[in-house]
Amino acid sequence: MEIVRREEIMRILDDYDEKDITIGTIGSHSALQILHGARQEGFRTLVICLKGVEELYERFGVADDILTVNDYREMISDGFQEMLRSRNVILIPHGSFVEYLSAEGIASMRTPIFGNRKVLEWESDRRKQREWLAAAGIKMPMSFERGDEIDRLVIVKLHGAKGGSSYFIASSPEELKQKLRDIDNAYEIQEYIIGTRFYPHYFHSFVRNRTELLGIDIRYESNIDGLARITPFMTEKIEPSFVVTGNIPVVARESLLLKILHVGDGVVSASRSLFSGGIVGPFCVELVCTDTLELFAFEISARIVAGTNLYINGSPYSQILFNESMSTGRRIAIEIKEAIRMDMLHQIVY
Amino acid sequence: MEIVRREEIMRILDDYDEKDITIGTIGSHSALQILHGARQEGFRTLVICLKGVEELYERFGVADDILTVNDYREMISDGFQEMLRSRNVILIPHGSFVEYLSAEGIASMRTPIFGNRKVLEWESDRRKQREWLAAAGIKMPMSFERGDEIDRLVIVKLHGAKGGSSYFIASSPEELKQKLRDIDNAYEIQEYIIGTRFYPHYFHSFVRNRTELLGIDIRYESNIDGLARITPFMTEKIEPSFVVTGNIPVVARESLLLKILHVGDGVVSASRSLFSGGIVGPFCVELVCTDTLELFAFEISARIVAGTNLYINGSPYSQILFNESMSTGRRIAIEIKEAIRMDMLHQIVY
Amino acid sequence: MEIVRREEIMRILDDYDEKDITIGTIGSHSALQILHGARQEGFRTLVICLKGVEELYERFGVADDILTVNDYREMISDGFQEMLRSRNVILIPHGSFVEYLSAEGIASMRTPIFGNRKVLEWESDRRKQREWLAAAGIKMPMSFERGDEIDRLVIVKLHGAKGGSSYFIASSPEELKQKLRDIDNAYEIQEYIIGTRFYPHYFHSFVRNRTELLGIDIRYESNIDGLARITPFMTEKIEPSFVVTGNIPVVARESLLLKILHVGDGVVSASRSLFSGGIVGPFCVELVCTDTLELFAFEISARIVAGTNLYINGSPYSQILFNESMSTGRRIAIEIKEAIRMDMLHQIVY
């Protein structure tokens, strides 16, 4: 697949009718919120769904147009892209984009995408994520090259596998060796930092030139969050897994908030030196807070995260900033609206 | 006690002044929300409280009339019922109704009740619950007939006992045998499925002919939710119990939402074939989500659940559907209001 | 430091321009909410920050004036106090006041403080807390005088140390003896009651003469809340710690609410007999609920608690009482506003 040059996207955008923009996304992850927020700000909305899934968006009544596909890869075809452009669609990427379209698929799309599409490449590569966090000056868990080096609890993350279903923990080299016996994938061995987890929802506004904190969540993972509750009373032992199934709201103590904002600031400024344009719009840095109140980052999500779904009717933090029910989806729509008004749309779309 | 025929309730309703309906309920469980929501929609409100408990409803200022009783059974008397009817009361049942009045007591009441009073009979019988869920095509944990058959973690639920205080878990036939030694009650042995728990709040609207998702919670249970947190650091071992003491908000990942809605749809359509009229209004199906993202149902609550108390100021899902602070209590009031306007009140009251 | 007499504060208040009051606080703990709430009610706002921390309050845009200090003790100087008085500042105390200024420092301040400044002395002394709770008729965990008396799980709280970092648990006299070996501080040995934790946010309004429930949270503590989730799968054992890092929202079952309100009522009425004026404004009683639905109190916070930060956009309970987004910060501002209007300011400021 051919990578689309930025200039071409800019030319496409030149032809868009900025008074008739449609906000579009893939029907999954945080689409309800993205579409609902776009509607609140007066945009037309469009969602692309796998056949059968459109029912969800019909029932919540958030989309003006629903397009169904048998395979998300159909979205990448010239005809589909042409159709999206004819409707002045700006696509809002979320966590399912890379999963369904691949980083290369996204890079090849001839439709304007909100935010810097280069971030998706950085996000989908664990090594690049570490490079990014290091450049941002953010503390990270230790990474172990070899299993026999481990001297503490570790979590092993297999590459090329989906999310938490392929994570496992080990507390000794022997345990690790045994668990890796049948593994063919490449993997990363990361120190497991013990503490409270915080997943802050940042929004870097190019238009307002500031990084905002819109909410924080805790991931609710299966089986671990059910298993840990019951294991102490079981005689058998079951291995934990870490598949995200939902999110629980949380606020951080106020004295942590500036540290959390600085983590976001670091990610934004590092992004500018790592890739042209830097990060624009929503992102998340997965944090753990130790009992000495130090924050460690173990991942970046360089687009809207699903934890924002908790705050479709506003969060404590977005309430302070906006004094109304401000979801991250709605915040994206406001950024686009303000960019149009200030003739800055070309700077927030890639 | 004599079961009231539906025709009689319909005749009573014929005599009601539909422009002067009072929404009434028992002072417990989710009454604050039911009364608050009714007020928001312009209804008069009435609450029936055990002596002493009226203070709660006075302090929150949600009731136009507060009636106190020494025993909830007084509600079933002819005089009390007559008095309710004279005020055009429609009762909203919740989780304490069956507990305080018994299924037969409710069936004998000569006051209109919102929703199908037949569901309370189905809800209060574990075997009927399983029949209902099976008819709905919903996956359930295995049920074991005999204790010596168990080959996995199980939860044992004693019949005729209240909620989670009489639940216990066992991981082997020996452990189970020992724990059942002094038990006289009948009991059910259910596979304990390990995963994340989701308690979705459905609302089946007869007027709008649709099933809505208004929120999701996690039950906060004593002692288990305190015990599991501390047991790993204790030398003694204490048996867990599962008494619901509160609720914690949660959202499910968006790709689970359609599955969750289909669980609700299944319950609604099965209800129509199992008992005339089917289910109307709020209900909940208690779900657990495994790390392969399969949902298992272990219970039905065929009326408003207490977890909805989290969302008196709206939930992420109700925000998308209604764009204002929509509690389940308020949703009930809207259903009644719309039914009155469309001359459908006789179809949502039993 | 000299303790300021109440009459002097009253004279200072006489000189204040009640049409131009500024709400001020220290930049930490729950200041965002206090300032945001004050603004919502039309007050000017001022925050006093350690150098560097002002950035947080700038970025959330909640303060009309930001004063920076190198050490919070600067606040106690005559010049600083004079400057606060010249701006008609009423200070709102929160959890960081005693920590940063000491109880004596606060008692010496010649600036009007919202609420009874005597409560801070009662709050900062564990023995006085127990006396207060006992006078309120509230059940408490057992307190053990000597380590060799313990016959159950206990939590040991070191005096003179900050919060949960110095708490530890023990299940036997031997374990306790070993853990106390290197401890020089005084300490309290408290029975560890197992159950679900509830931290209710009360507000005692002097103006409206009532005690309100504005929200409930669960503290999110490091390392325990991360450690307990993973310990069952570890081979090594790590000691838990209990440092509050954030808060998670919760509601209590409705049948507990009146008990919870009565706990608050008990605290209010006991306060009146223990110190002149009694408690005014927000407070919290840290509760644990057993599986027999009994509530035990293990602490009092006699001012706004950080858990209220969850409800800057309103809680289920504040929604019922006020029908709008009512944070505890905003509730404080309303109390001051109503007191001004009714000429009662002298009774809620100390």
Side-chain angles (χ1 to χ4, degrees), chain B residues 256-277:
Chain B
L256 286 174
L257 289 183
L258 194 55
K259 290 187 197 180
I260 290 173
L261 279 171
H262 286 165
V263 164
D265 295 346
V267 163
V268 171
S269 77
S271 75
R272 290 186 184 144
S273 60
L274 294 174
F275 48 90
S276 126

Side-chain angles (χ1 to χ4, degrees), chain A residues 4-203:
Chain A
V4 185
R5 300 209 336 281
R6 179 116 209 265
E7 297 73 51
E8 188 171 343
I9 298 293
M10 294 300 103
R11 271 196 304 271
I12 291 166
L13 209 54
D14 288 337
D15 292 338
Y16 267 31
D17 177 358
E18 293 195 351
K19 288 189 294 300
D20 190 31
I21 296 291
T22 296
I23 299 291
T25 195
I26 290 177
S28 183
H29 191 270
S30 49
L32 283 170
Q33 166 192 176
I34 290 169
L35 302 169
H36 180 254
R39 278 253 181 109
Q40 285 177 291
E41 296 302 320
F43 288 104
R44 278 186 63 80
T45 58
L46 174 150
V47 63
I48 300 139
C49 296
L50 271 196
K51 210 150 275 173
V53 174
E54 69 274 19
E55 183 188 337
L56 181 67
Y57 301 93
E58 286 163 3
R59 289 174 77 157
F60 274 102
V62 287
D64 295 305
D65 292 307
I66 298 182
L67 306 177
T68 58
V69 293
N70 289 305
D71 180 327
Y72 284 118
R73 300 301 186 102
E74 295 173 24
M75 282 179 62
I76 298 175
S77 73
D78 285 346
F80 203 99
Q81 294 286 312
E82 163 60 31
M83 189 264 293
L84 292 178
R85 290 192 300 267
S86 72
R87 300 179 189 211
N88 298 313
V89 168
I90 295 175
L91 288 173
I92 314 298
H94 54 56
S96 302
F97 269 64
V98 170
E99 187 186 335
Y100 294 153
L101 302 176
S102 83
E104 302 80 44
I106 295 165
S108 77
M109 289 177 80
R110 285 181 161 69
T111 306
I113 293 177
F114 172 71
N116 195 334
R117 65 176 82 186
K118 282 186 218 92
V119 303
L120 299 174
E121 177 197 335
W122 280 79
E123 185 204 70
S124 55
D125 179 328
R126 290 201 179 285
R127 248 162 311 210
K128 287 193 159 181
Q129 281 199 23
R130 279 192 86 85
E131 188 186 334
W132 191 352
L133 289 167
I138 298 165
K139 268 178 275 186
M140 282 177 279
M142 276 184 61
S143 191
F144 292 92
E145 287 299 309
R146 294 170 30 175
D148 56 9
E149 287 173 347
I150 73 166
D151 57 353
R152 63 195 71 193
L153 188 67
V154 295
I155 184 160
V156 180
K157 300 176 173 181
L158 305 190
H159 289 192
K162 264 179 62 181
S165 59
S166 58
Y167 292 0
F168 62 85
I169 57 166
S171 8
S172 68
E174 296 67 39
E175 188 188 349
L176 182 57
K177 196 174 169 188
Q178 203 202 337
K179 286 180 172 178
L180 284 171
R181 198 178 299 162
D182 304 319
I183 303 292
D184 289 326
N185 302 48
Y187 53 81
E188 188 192 0
I189 306 173
Q190 204 176 60
E191 177 187 16
Y192 188 98
I193 305 246
I194 290 168
T196 44
R197 293 167 299 137
F198 289 96
Y199 299 81
H201 315 146
Y202 300 102
F203 188 87

Side-chain angles (χ1 to χ4, degrees), chain C residues 246-289:
Chain C
N247 305 270
I248 294 171
V250 71
V251 293
R253 60 190 285 171
E254 195 157 307
S255 55
L256 286 174
L257 288 184
L258 194 55
K259 291 188 198 180
I260 290 173
L261 279 170
H262 286 165
V263 165
D265 295 346
V267 163
V268 171
S269 78
S271 74
R272 289 185 185 146
S273 59
L274 293 174
F275 48 89
S276 127
I279 193 166
V280 172
F283 65 98
C284 175
V285 182
E286 286 76 358
L287 298 173
V288 60
C289 177

